Amino acid sequence: MGKLPELLAPAGDESGIIAAIHAGADAVYFGGKKFNARQRASNIEDQEMTHNIRLCHQNGVKAYLTLNILIKECEWPSLLDYLSLIATTDIDGIIVQDPGLIWFLRKWCPEISLQTSTQASIGGLYGVKFFEDMGFTRVVLPREMSMDDV
């Protein structure tokens, strides 16, 4: 019997995490209050990050953090502070799109599991191979791709 795919659900906040757990998700993804593409959504406060990751793990669910925006030069000091917070958690992986952030994460924390965000716009085999060669565990293809293209 083959390995079943991982059911990854968007969570947003603690109530979304709990709903995903009860619905049978294998993993959830969520963003913090900064550095994710859904700034207007309900996101996880910095002080709630460890609690919510622990909640996932206590229920056998993986937790992935979205850092899926392009980082501006002026944002790096704040991002480094945020990454210091993330380093104190037991996050299962980070979802990214910014090449500079990818480079930095590979140098700073090479053991962390990285996945591309749909915002990375990987539209073909060569893009997938590029990220595979960089050690990514998942490449998320754009939702606009047809099944034939996939």
Side-chain angles (χ1 to χ4, degrees):
M1 181 176 194
K3 183 179 174 186
L4 293 175
E6 180 179 73
L7 178 58
L8 176 62
D13 59 14
E14 186 171 346
S15 64
I17 291 170
I18 292 168
I21 289 168
H22 289 299
D26 300 308
V28 297
Y29 66 92
F30 50 82
K33 291 291 183 183
K34 301 177 241 169
F35 308 113
N36 81 80
R38 299 188 70 220
Q39 285 298 286
R40 293 188 179 110
S42 173
N43 294 308
I44 305 291
E45 296 282 350
D46 291 358
Q47 63 271 21
E48 299 170 344
M49 193 71 66
T50 299
H51 163 75
N52 282 286
I53 294 167
R54 190 175 300 125
L55 175 64
C56 290
H57 292 165
Q58 288 170 343
N59 287 280
V61 172
K62 292 180 181 176
Y64 298 105
L65 178 69
T66 57
L67 291 178
N68 58 345
I69 63 167
L70 297 172
I71 307 299
K72 297 178 188 116
E73 189 67 30
C74 64
E75 294 174 317
W76 277 95
S78 180
L79 175 64
L80 295 176
D81 288 342
Y82 188 61
L83 289 173
S84 293
L85 167 73
I86 301 309
T88 66
T89 72
D90 195 18
I91 197 76
D92 292 291
I94 300 176
I95 300 171
V96 295
Q97 77 152 317
D98 184 282
L101 178 58
I102 293 166
W103 179 87
F104 179 81
L105 289 171
R106 280 289 172 241
K107 296 287 185 189
W108 176 70
C109 193
E111 68 279 356
I112 191 75
S113 171
L114 296 180
Q115 304 174 24
T116 66
S117 170
T118 186
Q119 284 86 5
S121 300
I122 309 304
L125 180 60
Y126 294 119
V128 171
K129 291 289 190 188
F130 174 81
F131 285 100
E132 179 183 45
D133 290 347
M134 291 180 60
F136 275 57
T137 57
R138 176 179 290 134
V139 174
V140 179
L141 301 173
R143 58 184 70 80
E144 301 82 11
M145 287 184 76
S146 70
M147 285 305 292
D148 288 340
D149 288 340
V150 171

